[in-house]
Each structure stands twice: as C-alpha cells, then as structure tokens.
Amino acid sequence: RLEENKVRSLVSLECLERITTSTILKQLTYFYDLPNDDLSHGYKVRKGFNDGFIFEPWLYLWIKFLSNISSAITNESHSEYYIIKTDIASFYDKIDHDKLKRLLLDSSPLEIIRSKISALDEKSLEKYKKIISLCLKIAKDTVGSDKG
C-alpha cells in the first residue's frame, strides 16, 4: 500500500479474552447457523476445530482473495467493470456498543436473530444475554469506550 500519513490503531486482546471472545463468536455462528460467504475473505469461522483453528488461516484467505481478484481482472466478461478500493475511516471505532447490544438482544431488525432468541427457554436466554454482555464488557475494557 502506498498510503502516506495513514495511522491505524491496532488492538490485541490478552490471551484469556481472545480465547473467550473467539469461542463465543464460534458458538454464535453455530447458534445463528450463519453460512460462510465464498466472496468474503475476512474472518471466516471454521466448522469444528479443523487442525486446531477456530478461523480459516488468514494467509489462505489472502491467497484466495488474490486469486479471485486476478480472475476478475482478466475475465473478458468483466471488461466493462471497474474495481474500486474503499476504506471506511475508523469504521470499527464508531461501532456503538449500546446499539449493537440492542441489535443482539432486544429489538433486532433481523428476523434470524429475533426467531433464534424467541425460541430460547428462559435459562438459555439468560445465558445468551450474559455472553453478549461479556463480549461487550471485554470490548469496552479493551478500548476504554462504549464505541469501538
């Protein structure tokens, strides 16, 4: 990348928090039965614990991205299209924890979340609320804010 004067703040979780949040993310992926999109090259949750990984290895996903983008560029049927690189400034820094919590707990506009939550018995719903709250607490403790 040839970007001048660009500053990115990187956050790394401590070991316990990383294991906790990754395990919760994996369980939420199963709970919601979320499919992996073949066009997404970001964090992809693996089914099971293949080779001991929770996520697909980033290098594999990067190589797959390069292959897919190269194929798109050289494909004659795409000759009238353009590839545009975008970057949303401070995207993760602006995620509001309160809105995210409401989305995951109370008033989700997403049918998949509403239907899964409404199917939980009282005990399971309490556990679900606790793990969502735990993840948001870890996020707040890590970044020192209710956003990000």
Side-chain angles (χ1 to χ4, degrees):
R1 291 170 112 149
L2 302 174
E3 299 166 306
E4 294 182 26
N5 302 323
K6 187 165 195 169
V7 176
R8 290 190 189 260
S9 298
L10 299 178
V11 175
S12 183
L13 296 175
E14 296 292 329
C15 183
L16 180 61
E17 287 82 3
R18 182 179 302 273
I19 291 169
T20 301
T21 55
S22 295
T23 303
I24 290 171
L25 174 62
K26 188 171 188 72
Q27 291 306 312
L28 288 175
T29 301
Y30 287 142
F31 175 65
Y32 291 125
D33 195 24
L34 300 173
N36 277 327
D37 186 337
D38 287 337
L39 297 177
S40 174
H41 299 87
Y43 291 102
K44 291 178 91 167
V45 178
R46 282 187 165 190
K47 297 289 184 186
F49 286 94
N50 219 4
D51 300 325
F53 294 107
I54 290 177
F55 302 103
E56 293 287 342
W58 72 269
L59 184 57
Y60 164 77
L61 294 174
W62 177 248
I63 291 169
K64 187 175 176 186
F65 167 75
L66 292 176
S67 174
N68 287 348
I69 201 75
S70 295
S71 294
I73 290 170
T74 58
N75 187 328
E76 283 296 317
S77 65
H78 297 146
S79 64
E80 300 294 318
Y81 294 91
Y82 296 90
I83 295 175
I84 300 171
K85 178 188 177 245
T86 61
D87 188 8
I88 301 172
S90 302
F91 174 78
Y92 292 106
D93 297 342
K94 295 176 182 158
I95 295 174
D96 185 300
H97 294 181
D98 188 50
K99 288 180 183 177
L100 181 58
K101 189 173 188 175
R102 284 195 308 264
L103 176 80
L104 295 172
L105 294 178
D106 303 326
S107 55
S108 179
L110 304 174
E111 174 58 32
I112 189 169
I113 294 176
R114 285 195 316 270
S115 66
K116 292 289 187 173
I117 291 174
S118 66
L120 293 174
D121 61 45
E122 191 174 320
K123 186 177 179 181
S124 297
L125 181 59
E126 282 306 309
K127 287 180 182 179
Y128 174 80
K129 287 179 178 182
K130 282 181 182 179
I131 65 169
I132 297 300
S133 295
L134 176 61
C135 285
L136 292 171
K137 180 184 180 324
I138 290 171
K140 181 179 181 177
D141 292 349
T142 301
V143 299
S145 171
D146 283 328
K147 287 190 177 182

